[in-house]
Amino acid sequence: MDPARSPELLTRLADDLRRADYTVDALEGLWGEEAAAALHRGERVPARRVLDARRGEHGASAPLAALAELFVLGLPVPVAEVGEALATLGVDGAARLGLVRESGGKVTAALDLRPYAFADERGEVEWWILSDLGELALGHALGEHHVLGVGGASMTLSGLMLPTPARRVLDLGTGCGIQAMHAARFADEVVATDISERALVLAEMNLRLNGIEGVELRHGSLFEPVAGERFDRIVSNPPFVITPRTEGVPEYDYRDGGMVGDALVEAVVRGAAEHLEPGGVAQLLANWEYRGEADGLERAVAWASSTGLEHWFVEREVQGVAEYAETWIRDGGTRPGTPAFDRLYDAWLDDFEARGVDRVGFGYVLLRRPVEQPDASAAPPLARVERRHGPLGGDASALGRHLAVMLAAHDRQALASDAELGMLRLRVAGDVTEERHYWPGDEDPTAMLLRQGGGFGRTVSPGTGLAALVGACDGELAVGAIIAALAQLLEVDEQALAAELLPAVRELIDDGMLLLPDA
């Protein structure tokens, strides 16, 4: 039986999970914050010890504890306990779905099944996500056809996703289906593709398990399954990991795209140009290589520029090749200090050395296909490149909303002339604070900083004039009136001051630190 084609069994499973209160909060309450933190580090011993100590006290939470041991900790659980926890589905039904195996009076998990919670513009949501068993449950390195569950990269991309309505969305390389599931909350139609047939089976199970409709799954590599089609939105956590194409080096479906270096990311960026509707936006995570004196971020930006796409690149981190190799060898489950680890380490460093690569950048990419403008005086295209290697603002899950607001604000301010900008009544964003630093005994500050609490957590060091202008932006006074008053106060030429401050005002609007009046 194809488990993805078993809607009745998946409905029974959902009923059992709901009845057991199999949720993120309930699990943390079951074993506590310390054990939960250890699980995030890949260590299950603290959680197991808590459950062992409390086994006689579970009472009504016994089904939750059984499911937690089975699917989260990856431990064998007596058949009777699993049968009680899955009273509607039954152990036999779980086996038919491919969830479990039974042997010697014990049940072991055949798939990972975890609760997943998040909040977006539509509200708070709880889902359950099926994926392949991780290293913790397997006790050995992952298989090359492993289907990954929800990890840090998945949550990063879903947090960046624009939470605005779209007609058609493409999830390129859907894996377990998590980005398609998020996209379905804002789109009329979602097409999700993957080169892994197993990933598509699990994605379909996740869609059915959580009652999500409007997603079409297609098999194939990159854009092949959607040849000739265009979308309002493309999201992708592509298999961008740079892996040596050497015999004996495992290639994992979920992370290794089969191309040399960062060629896969280049292919996704260039392919997006052919599959976006005018005004359509693509969002993806990506790596890019630094080769000697060649700037890796500039190379990646050139891919987008050559296609005519508007773009916004945010580089979050740069790793040396040794650290990069260690990260991804460990990711596959190969442990440091073993001959296998050393062999793979050599292969990675040989590959980088042969191609002159000394560092690898990681970041976020936003691409937009321009809308054709008949007016030759249209605003310049979005072309933004940032290196933000420090922490972001306080709420990473709200970055998608922040991006949507910033894109809309950029488009409005870019179309406005300086005279039109001067007539606008701006407001300081609610998460922006001002810091002033003084030498002891001085009346005037030696430094002023504007700090953004949310979004990208930006810090701007304004001059005296810009700080005064921002301080006066309360939504009542027009920018031009503020500049005129400042010119008189500072005894400088008004036009010269406007020429100095208006470009900075545009940047603060683009950054989300100054807010435009409602359109």
Side-chain angles (χ1 to χ4, degrees):
M1 176 190 296
D2 181 348
R5 304 285 192 260
S6 308
E8 182 184 351
L9 293 181
L10 288 167
T11 299
R12 292 181 187 176
L13 174 60
D15 289 341
D16 287 331
L17 297 177
R18 198 173 293 111
R19 187 178 301 108
D21 193 25
Y22 192 55
T23 64
V24 172
D25 287 344
L27 285 180
E28 185 162 320
L30 186 67
W31 44 52
E33 292 183 8
E34 186 174 344
L39 282 170
H40 282 295
R41 299 191 300 269
E43 301 294 341
R44 66 184 174 190
V45 171
R48 177 184 56 76
R49 289 171 62 88
V50 170
L51 294 187
D52 285 346
R54 295 181 54 193
R55 184 168 297 277
E57 306 171 6
H58 286 319
S61 66
L64 174 64
L67 295 175
E69 285 188 290
L70 181 64
F71 292 116
V72 179
L73 304 187
L75 299 172
V77 178
V79 171
E81 293 184 19
V82 178
E84 181 183 353
L86 299 176
T88 305
L89 177 64
V91 175
D92 180 64
R96 290 164 62 196
L97 277 175
L99 287 178
V100 301
R101 302 184 184 94
E102 181 183 349
S103 178
K106 296 279 189 176
V107 176
T108 56
L111 289 174
D112 189 293
L113 171 59
R114 299 192 183 223
Y116 170 66
F118 68 95
D120 62 16
E121 297 291 285
R122 299 285 176 87
E124 296 183 354
V125 179
E126 290 266 2
W127 287 334
W128 303 290
I129 304 298
L130 289 157
S131 62
D132 278 329
L133 294 173
E135 180 189 351
L136 185 68
L138 291 171
H140 56 75
L142 304 179
E144 293 185 55
H145 301 300
H146 178 86
V147 179
L148 195 66
V150 179
S154 299
M155 290 189 288
T156 294
L157 183 58
S158 63
L160 289 166
M161 194 182 299
L162 300 179
T164 50
R167 189 177 63 86
R168 298 190 79 214
V169 175
L170 170 64
D171 175 15
L172 190 74
T174 192
C176 70
I178 187 62
Q179 303 305 331
M181 294 165 69
H182 277 281
R185 291 175 57 76
F186 302 96
D188 297 332
E189 174 188 344
V190 178
V191 176
T193 69
D194 207 288
I195 197 170
S196 165
E197 292 185 347
R198 176 167 179 75
L200 294 176
V201 168
L202 288 174
E204 185 170 357
M205 291 178 71
N206 284 324
L207 292 166
R208 291 182 182 275
L209 178 61
N210 294 286
I212 297 171
E213 300 179 347
V215 179
E216 178 187 354
L217 300 170
R218 300 186 192 178
H219 178 254
S221 177
L222 295 179
F223 292 100
E224 290 175 2
V226 293
E229 298 181 50
R230 288 186 177 178
F231 299 84
D232 304 295
R233 200 79 45 79
I234 298 173
V235 294
S236 183
N237 181 14
F240 58 70
V241 174
I242 299 167
T243 303
R245 303 303 165 199
T246 306
E247 185 176 353
V249 176
E251 295 185 12
Y252 296 99
D253 290 344
Y254 72 89
R255 72 177 205 192
D256 302 316
M259 298 185 187
V260 175
D262 52 21
L264 183 128
V265 174
E266 180 179 359
V268 173
V269 170
R270 294 187 184 279
E274 302 174 12
H275 293 280
L276 284 173
E277 295 282 7
V281 171
Q283 294 179 272
L284 60 141
L285 306 181
N287 273 169
W288 37 80
E289 294 181 332
Y290 283 77
R291 302 171 182 170
E293 297 299 318
D295 187 291
L297 181 55
E298 291 180 1
R299 288 180 55 251
V301 171
W303 303 332
S305 300
S306 66
T307 66
L309 289 173
E310 295 183 284
H311 54 266
W312 186 353
F313 283 74
V314 181
E315 184 177 77
R316 294 290 295 120
E317 182 181 7
V318 175
Q319 287 186 330
V321 292
E323 183 182 5
Y324 187 87
E326 292 167 15
T327 297
W328 292 109
I329 298 170
R330 286 196 301 265
D331 176 78
T334 304
R335 298 301 181 98
T338 63
F341 188 93
D342 291 348
R343 178 180 60 80
L344 292 175
Y345 208 160
D346 273 326
W348 244 276
L349 296 185
D350 286 345
D351 174 63
F352 283 131
E353 184 178 346
R355 294 185 296 105
V357 178
D358 54 19
R359 290 166 294 154
V360 179
F362 166 82
Y364 316 148
V365 179
L366 185 149
L367 309 168
R368 185 168 65 175
R369 183 175 177 180
V371 177
E372 293 184 7
Q373 297 284 356
D375 185 356
S377 64
L382 174 71
R384 187 164 189 175
V385 182
E386 303 184 69
R387 287 182 168 90
R388 304 204 59 79
H389 294 178
L392 297 184
D395 187 2
S397 66
L399 282 177
R401 179 172 65 251
H402 181 72
L403 288 174
V405 170
M406 292 172 71
L407 283 176
H410 166 82
D411 292 344
R412 285 182 63 192
Q413 72 83 5
L415 286 170
S417 66
D418 282 352
E420 291 169 331
L421 182 61
M423 292 187 289
L424 296 177
R425 292 171 169 82
L426 306 180
R427 291 182 295 108
V428 180
D431 63 343
V432 173
T433 57
E434 180 185 88
E435 292 181 10
R436 297 188 176 218
H437 299 264
Y438 297 82
W439 287 113
D442 285 358
E443 293 185 1
D444 298 323
T446 56
M448 291 182 289
L449 298 174
L450 298 175
R451 292 194 183 277
Q452 184 180 49
F456 285 141
R458 303 173 190 277
T459 299
V460 175
S461 180
T464 302
L466 183 59
L469 186 150
V470 171
C473 286
D474 58 1
E476 298 295 330
L477 292 173
V479 171
I482 297 172
I483 291 175
L486 287 174
Q488 185 175 4
L489 180 66
L490 299 172
E491 297 181 345
V492 298
D493 180 74
E494 181 181 337
Q495 290 185 336
L497 186 61
E500 173 191 339
L501 295 182
L502 287 179
V505 169
R506 292 183 186 275
E507 289 183 12
L508 291 177
I509 293 171
D510 282 355
D511 292 343
M513 300 179 81
L514 285 178
L515 304 180
L516 294 164
D518 294 337

